[in-house]
Amino acid sequence: MRQSISIISLSLIILLATSFASTERVNKSEASTGLFWSTAKEEGDLLRKAQTDDDSSSLLLGDNQEEHQLDGGFSSLEGMLQWAIGHSDPAKLKEAAKDVQRLSPEELKARQMGIKELMEKLKMPSDAQLMKTAIDDLNNSSLSLEDRHRALEELLILVEPVDNANDMHKLGGLTAVIGELDHPDPEIRTISAWVLGKASQNNPVVQKQILELGPLTKLMEMVNSTFTEEAIKALYALSALIINNPEGQESFYREAGHLMLQNILSNSSTDIRLRRKSVFLVADLVENQLGSSNKAVLPFFSNQFFLKSVVDLIASPDLDLQEKALYAVKNLLQLRSTEALVFKEVCKLDVTLETMRQQLQQLMVDENFKGYAVDVESLRREVELIFLGKLDKVRRILD
């Protein structure tokens, strides 16, 4: 790799030297001055001279004055020349320049053409072209498993920029990736779900496009996969599709997504990462309900079994899961439809919060956990106050 960079650098500098050498032959009044190869501090001046000298620019680019745009990195030929100067040995460049000065006009022209051919080979395809290639590969039924995996990995990187994600549908990419959700290989299904999640995250345009193609049911089936990574990436895709998307959430509820979440939360044998993602999604869905005052609160948020499955996670030994569950409970307590007595008598929230307070006090003694414990205690206290306030309202009514 280092050798190829040196060759490219040298070739480009030869082209620059060719231009100046040609300029000297045209400008007789300066024929005796020769080329001056700058030190590192003066290379910027040399480039500015090359860019402002019309004769030099003409010879540098040849008869064609079009700007050479390089989709993969450098914005122009001059940009690459500047890079080449900065990554080359000054002594070798000086020697190369002297060699070029000895060339005849015909040899100079041939050298220019050779460098231009090299530049054409160095042009990188655009992201859209790379995406189209990967999508075409996915649509090739005879493609090997390894190449299919590679195509999906390329799309996973390419869809991260919003503009690229927005181009996926018109290139046929969303349909192709959704088709891979039915592939017999679990790793192909996993990375396909990952691509859909990455493309749709915080992107209403792509969320709508994917939802219209109808992969929600399949993704929910994948969440129940025995292949853990497939389940995690499927839930990631589901979350990306429905967070901050009312239409997506309605589709999710119609497919009994709340039961899927309850099963995950209440099953202690479920992978901890899946439970974290699930309770985080619950917190977000409830927060969306809180922000929509004109929307009817869904009844399952008040279901005592559902509420208990969330509250029980506060007692988890996993600190991250504890915190996420606490935040979800905070949101659930603020729903008008949830009952304080259910939290107390069925979920035993008061007991759970007290147990957590004692655990956090112990963590505060450890300097490694003190900061975390203080922050979580603040959240725990906030939850406790909301709970007591909700409970007090019930007592006043009963009294």
Side-chain angles (χ1 to χ4, degrees):
M1 179 66 180
R2 186 179 297 276
Q3 184 178 7
S4 63
I5 290 176
S6 299
I7 292 171
I8 292 170
S9 303
L10 186 57
S11 299
L12 290 169
I13 298 305
I14 288 173
L15 176 58
L16 183 61
T18 298
S19 302
F20 277 91
S22 300
T23 304
E24 288 184 346
R25 286 183 171 86
V26 173
N27 191 345
K28 301 297 184 181
S29 64
E30 297 178 3
S32 61
T33 61
L35 279 172
F36 175 74
W37 288 95
S38 68
T39 64
K41 291 183 179 179
E42 297 166 329
E43 286 166 2
D45 296 332
L46 175 62
L47 282 170
R48 282 192 290 275
K49 184 178 186 303
Q51 291 168 353
T52 55
D53 190 312
D54 292 338
D55 291 336
S56 296
S57 296
S58 173
L59 289 163
L60 180 64
L61 298 175
D63 295 331
N64 184 359
Q65 293 297 309
E66 291 180 78
E67 183 179 6
H68 291 253
Q69 294 293 334
L70 301 177
D71 293 333
F74 300 96
S75 61
S76 65
L77 181 58
E78 287 89 348
M80 184 171 273
L81 285 169
Q82 186 171 2
W83 174 87
I85 288 176
H87 290 77
S88 302
D89 185 341
K92 291 183 179 179
L93 297 183
K94 183 183 290 188
E95 190 62 34
K98 290 179 180 178
D99 291 341
V100 169
Q101 285 181 292
R102 301 188 188 101
L103 298 176
S104 67
E106 293 76 15
E107 290 172 325
L108 286 172
K109 186 68 175 178
R111 183 66 58 86
Q112 283 181 331
M113 294 304 297
I115 298 297
K116 280 190 175 183
E117 290 177 7
L118 174 63
M119 292 294 296
E120 288 298 319
K121 292 179 180 178
L122 288 173
K123 280 189 176 180
M124 296 291 292
S126 66
D127 282 359
Q129 290 170 326
L130 292 171
M131 289 167 65
K132 186 66 170 63
T133 299
I135 293 164
D136 288 343
D137 284 345
L138 293 180
N139 290 327
N140 180 0
S141 58
S142 62
L143 194 71
S144 69
L145 187 65
E146 181 181 357
D147 287 339
R148 192 168 296 277
H149 195 280
R150 173 196 51 75
L152 286 166
E153 284 186 329
E154 289 174 359
L155 286 176
L156 183 64
I157 297 171
L158 289 166
V159 300
E160 193 159 346
V162 174
D163 290 340
N164 287 356
N166 290 341
D167 287 340
M168 273 284 282
H169 193 39
K170 66 184 178 184
L171 293 172
L174 296 181
T175 301
V177 174
I178 288 173
E180 297 300 314
L181 296 178
D182 291 314
H183 197 280
D185 183 75
E187 291 188 359
I188 294 295
R189 297 195 302 268
T190 298
I191 195 169
S192 298
W194 197 358
V195 171
L196 294 176
K198 184 68 70 70
S200 60
Q201 192 167 33
N202 300 318
N203 190 328
V205 173
V206 178
Q207 285 176 338
K208 185 175 185 296
Q209 292 170 342
I210 294 177
L211 288 168
E212 288 176 349
L213 293 172
L216 216 60
T217 302
K218 179 60 182 179
L219 288 170
M220 289 175 65
E221 291 175 4
M222 291 169 61
V223 172
N224 295 318
S225 172
T226 55
F227 186 64
T228 303
E229 289 303 320
E230 178 181 357
I232 290 171
K233 290 302 185 288
L235 184 56
Y236 163 71
L238 280 171
S239 300
L241 283 170
I242 68 176
I243 284 179
N244 298 323
N245 189 306
E247 293 78 14
Q249 291 173 19
E250 288 176 8
S251 299
F252 179 72
Y253 297 140
R254 281 197 303 270
E255 296 291 336
H258 59 288
L259 294 179
M260 178 198 76
L261 291 174
Q262 182 177 321
N263 290 335
I264 293 172
L265 298 178
S266 60
N267 187 350
S268 60
S269 64
T270 301
D271 187 277
I272 194 72
R273 294 170 294 170
L274 204 58
R275 301 179 88 191
R276 289 176 193 150
K277 289 182 180 296
S278 295
V279 75
F280 180 82
L281 180 56
V282 167
D284 187 85
L285 293 174
V286 177
E287 187 169 351
N288 184 265
Q289 288 277 309
L290 292 170
S292 304
S293 56
N294 58 341
K295 183 184 293 186
V297 177
L298 296 164
F300 74 84
F301 283 134
S302 305
N303 181 281
Q304 61 182 14
F305 299 109
F306 179 81
L307 294 174
K308 189 173 189 309
S309 68
V310 178
V311 172
D312 286 349
L313 295 178
I314 297 177
S316 168
D318 184 85
L319 298 179
D320 189 25
L321 182 56
Q322 273 187 0
E323 185 177 6
K324 286 179 168 60
L326 197 59
Y327 185 72
V329 170
K330 173 190 170 183
N331 289 348
L332 286 164
L333 279 167
Q334 295 177 77
L335 290 175
R336 293 190 304 273
S337 61
T338 56
E339 299 179 16
L341 290 178
V342 171
F343 279 107
K344 178 177 176 58
E345 297 173 1
V346 178
C347 304
K348 308 296 183 186
L349 180 58
D350 51 345
V351 177
T352 302
L353 289 174
E354 175 57 25
T355 302
M356 187 179 198
R357 184 188 68 80
Q358 295 174 10
Q359 291 175 343
L360 291 172
Q361 282 185 334
Q362 293 176 0
L363 283 177
M364 289 179 191
V365 177
D366 189 333
E367 287 297 326
N368 295 323
F369 292 98
K370 184 177 181 179
Y372 165 82
V374 169
D375 291 340
V376 176
E377 169 57 22
S378 176
L379 176 59
R380 188 207 67 82
R381 182 59 180 161
E382 186 179 0
V383 171
E384 188 173 50
L385 290 174
I386 295 172
F387 169 55
L388 293 176
K390 195 176 183 80
L391 196 59
D392 186 56
K393 288 180 182 178
V394 174
R395 286 170 176 165
R396 284 204 304 266
I397 293 172
L398 293 176
D399 293 341

